[in-house]
Amino acid sequence: MGKQVNFYMTDSDEKEFIEFVQSDRSVGVFTYAMPTEELRLLSALPERGTPFWYSVYLWDRDNSPKPIVEYVPEQQYYVVEPLASEVIKFSRSYIDEGQLVRGRIWAETVGWHREDPARTFQKSEAFRRWFSRLASWIKRKGIRDHVGDFMLPGAAQYAKDGGRLAQVVFARGDEHIQKR
């Protein structure tokens, strides 16, 4: 069963979050899709507007096995299989046409065997604790909005100053995305 925490973050909130994520372990960060099956770990989050910048995966290299990668022939790229791998999906918050769009962290805590999808397995205790630790940080640092999503300090100030929040924006391409 998957777990998620929805939030609003500005650039400064995101920087602080990533520093926390990497504060006590070796964390691999990589984009959703890759040109080869080899994980290309990033030294920094991708710049906005580059392919797949919006959604990255976090991998606790100290405590979780290497993620399982699959080829998607229709798109001709490789992706991580999040149901079988111990990874946290980090969907980033961003400004779109004057609105701060909601992000989230999400992880599947129960995996499926690739050979027999009817069989499930519990992902490691270390992985589940790590997700809970990141979720707790967001909840501790943020305040809830009227629908229960968390606004980190920069995002809360953005809203207080009259900035609008959006739960979702329908895809139009990356050219409309602005810096926060």
Side-chain angles (χ1 to χ4, degrees):
M1 175 186 325
K3 293 186 175 201
Q4 72 176 359
V5 176
N6 295 309
F7 56 77
Y8 295 93
M9 288 184 183
T10 60
D11 284 340
S12 60
D13 296 327
E14 182 180 82
K15 182 178 186 285
E16 188 178 345
F17 175 67
I18 292 300
E19 286 172 0
F20 176 75
V21 167
Q22 297 175 324
S23 66
D24 69 338
R25 64 195 72 213
S26 175
V27 175
V29 178
F30 53 92
T31 58
Y32 165 77
M34 299 157 281
T36 69
E37 63 185 318
E38 197 58 40
L39 290 179
R40 293 170 67 176
L41 300 182
L42 305 170
S43 57
L45 291 176
E47 290 291 320
R48 283 164 183 69
T50 59
F52 307 107
W53 70 270
Y54 167 76
S55 187
V56 297
Y57 282 105
L58 309 173
W59 165 40
D60 178 356
R61 297 169 62 193
D62 293 336
N63 298 297
S64 291
K66 185 176 180 181
I68 296 168
V69 176
E70 294 182 330
Y71 184 65
V72 181
E74 297 82 6
Q75 279 79 28
Q76 298 181 340
Y77 56 65
Y78 292 84
V79 297
V80 166
E81 172 45 71
L83 302 178
S85 303
E86 292 188 352
V87 293
I88 295 173
K89 186 175 184 179
F90 175 45
S91 300
R92 300 166 70 189
S93 207
Y94 61 92
I95 296 285
D96 177 71
E97 295 186 357
Q99 300 177 103
L100 183 59
V101 180
R102 179 178 69 185
R104 75 175 183 158
I105 57 170
W106 173 86
E108 187 62 58
T109 56
V110 174
W112 285 265
H113 291 278
R114 297 176 79 203
E115 325 70 58
D116 182 5
R119 288 186 29 226
T120 62
F121 64 92
Q122 191 76 353
K123 293 191 180 176
S124 75
E125 178 66 25
F127 175 70
R128 293 191 318 266
R129 278 195 322 267
W130 185 47
F131 179 86
S132 293
R133 182 173 176 268
L134 301 186
S136 294
W137 186 91
I138 291 169
K139 293 173 182 179
R140 237 184 10 262
K141 296 284 184 172
I143 58 171
R144 285 187 182 257
D145 69 3
H146 67 284
V147 296
D149 298 328
F150 292 90
M151 294 185 296
L152 280 292
Q157 187 63 49
Y158 176 83
K160 183 178 176 186
D161 293 343
R164 294 184 348 239
L165 305 178
Q167 291 180 342
V168 67
V169 170
F170 296 101
R172 293 186 301 276
D174 285 343
E175 62 278 354
H176 65 280
I177 297 168
Q178 306 162 1
K179 275 296 246 184
R180 301 180 257 177

